[in-house]
Amino acid sequence: MKKCIAMMLVLAMTMSMAACGSKEEPASNPSTAEADGQTPAEEPKAEEADTPEAGADDKVFHVGVAQLVQHDALDAATQGFKDALVEELGERVVFDEQNASNDIPTCSTIINKFVSDEVDLILANATPVLQAAQAGTDKIPILGTSVTEYGVALQIADFNGTVGGNISGTSDLAPLDQQAAMLHELFPDKKNVGLLYCSAEANSQYQVDTVQAYLEDLGYTCKQYPFSDSNDLSTIATTAASESDVIYVPTDNTAASNANIIRGVCEPAGIPVVAGEEGICKGCGVVTLSIDYYDLGVATGKMAAQILTGQADISTMPVGYAAEFTKKYNPEICEAMNITIPDGYEAIEMGEAAK
């Protein structure tokens, strides 16, 4: 009996030892492995030494585009700018496009956002936007376009063609002496010329002052008719039409956005309008000496590419001007007013959208 008990104890001990030997060890965590002097498995790391740093050719540029208001001329300039910059830089350029809807305070809000976002360059499309950009930053490069006279817009005395600092751009100025000569070519027997423009736009004031001097040299009597915004345009245009034989409207953003109001007053009264640019002429004018705003935007986009890639210094970059000017006429209004256009004028394609 004692022998049987002893054998059973030995057998039980043997089975217990076997069970302990087959028990799985718990997986060690990194801290336990390090404590035991073992090297833990590491997560794969991105190659550092063998991977070159991103070079200048890989940089993505963020460009803020601020446009005063939507109308044919400014839309075309913006599109030309974007197309040229994409052609030069491809997917390396990203646009933040904003429109102030002809509200001057909104221009500053848009510019302040661009400054806060630290964009690489700002396109200021139209004079009030350029003025807001000048006030908003002296660090970020600013290119203006659709700006008639930079010296007037930025209050630069003795402007020599280069703004300096962080500003340059392109001008939409068509020769004002030639615009006066065009008016005289079509209406040599008229006596009184009304100059209709928005008083809130500094470059509009500059244009009418300059054109008035040329027209007076040609024997016309001129009177200025400033309106403050679209709210009083109809009233001022009505007064101008009643006191004038022909009306001159300069390159003016408010007039361009509300050309239908001017047409609604002048066409029924039989008063022809000579316009400073094609968009206004398409809306209410009979003739214009115009530039191509899309091409102006393209030229501005090429300037931007040079600045962003370090090929040019904006502080020494002169303002660019259109190389070609075209005499154009509005066939619909000319027919309605029985005005015969002499040779050398190109008909505006009324159904054609801006490029």
Side-chain angles (χ1 to χ4, degrees):
M1 188 66 171
K2 290 181 180 180
K3 288 181 181 182
C4 288
I5 293 173
M7 289 178 66
M8 290 175 65
L9 289 172
V10 171
L11 181 59
M13 291 177 63
T14 301
M15 292 176 66
S16 176
M17 291 176 64
C20 291
S22 64
K23 186 176 182 180
E24 293 184 1
E25 293 289 335
S28 60
N29 58 42
S31 60
T32 304
E34 290 173 0
D36 292 341
Q38 301 175 13
T39 302
E42 296 182 353
E43 292 291 330
K45 292 184 178 179
E47 294 182 9
E48 296 177 358
D50 296 333
T51 303
E53 294 182 1
D57 291 343
D58 300 315
K59 177 176 172 58
V60 175
F61 301 101
H62 292 82
V63 175
V65 176
Q67 182 173 316
L68 175 63
V69 64
Q70 184 175 4
H71 65 68
D72 286 353
L74 300 190
D75 292 349
T78 292
Q79 192 61 54
F81 173 82
K82 291 167 58 181
D83 288 350
L85 203 46
V86 169
E87 183 176 351
E88 295 285 338
L89 301 177
E91 295 181 354
R92 295 170 55 204
V93 60
V94 176
F95 297 103
D96 182 356
E97 192 170 349
Q98 302 292 328
N99 193 301
S101 299
N102 211 25
D103 183 66
I104 304 301
T106 301
C107 295
S108 297
T109 302
I110 293 170
I111 296 300
N112 290 337
K113 177 183 182 298
F114 290 162
V115 173
S116 177
D117 292 343
E118 299 181 345
V119 298
D120 296 298
L121 184 140
I122 294 172
L123 174 71
N125 193 349
T127 298
V129 187
L130 180 65
Q131 293 169 331
Q134 181 194 38
T137 178
D138 60 0
K139 300 291 190 298
I140 298 173
I142 300 166
L143 286 176
T145 193
S146 311
V147 176
T148 304
E149 173 56 45
Y150 281 72
V152 173
L154 302 178
Q155 298 182 331
I156 303 173
D158 301 321
F159 177 61
N160 63 4
T162 301
V163 177
N166 65 321
I167 299 176
S168 187
T170 55
S171 168
D172 62 356
L173 179 64
L176 297 172
D177 59 339
Q178 293 183 36
Q179 294 186 44
M182 181 178 61
L183 187 150
H184 184 258
E185 178 184 26
L186 267 75
F187 309 109
D189 298 328
K190 303 294 186 182
K191 301 298 181 183
N192 301 305
V193 178
L195 306 170
L196 182 66
Y197 68 100
C198 180
S199 58
E201 299 189 32
N203 272 317
S204 295
Q205 183 70 65
Y206 164 77
Q207 290 173 82
V208 297
D209 287 345
T210 305
V211 166
Q212 179 171 343
Y214 289 128
L215 290 172
E216 289 175 346
D217 287 343
L218 292 170
Y220 294 98
T221 299
C222 299
K223 182 177 179 180
Q224 297 187 10
Y225 295 89
F227 57 90
S228 58
D229 54 34
S230 59
N231 294 319
D232 64 341
L233 173 55
S234 180
T235 300
I236 300 300
T238 300
T239 301
S242 68
E243 299 176 351
S244 307
D245 301 316
V246 58
I247 287 177
Y248 171 78
V249 178
T251 300
D252 183 293
N253 291 296
T254 307
S257 300
N258 298 277
N260 60 316
I261 295 177
I262 301 173
R263 179 174 182 173
V265 170
C266 294
E267 186 176 328
I271 304 301
V273 174
V274 174
E277 60 90 14
E278 183 174 340
I280 297 175
C281 190
K282 182 184 290 188
C284 66
V286 292
V287 291
T288 185
L289 180 66
S290 190
I291 67 170
D292 189 317
Y293 277 84
Y294 180 85
D295 290 346
L296 193 71
V298 168
T300 315
K302 291 180 178 179
M303 293 170 70
Q306 292 181 325
I307 294 165
L308 292 170
T309 57
Q311 300 176 54
D313 180 358
I314 192 171
S315 67
T316 61
M317 184 176 281
V319 170
Y321 293 83
E324 298 181 357
F325 309 96
T326 306
K327 289 182 176 181
K328 293 191 174 185
Y329 72 97
N330 184 321
E332 290 184 4
I333 296 180
C334 286
E335 182 179 357
M337 300 181 70
N338 198 28
I339 295 174
T340 301
I341 300 298
D343 293 339
Y345 285 75
E346 178 182 316
I348 296 173
E349 298 183 26
M350 303 303 294
E352 181 185 37
K355 290 183 182 178

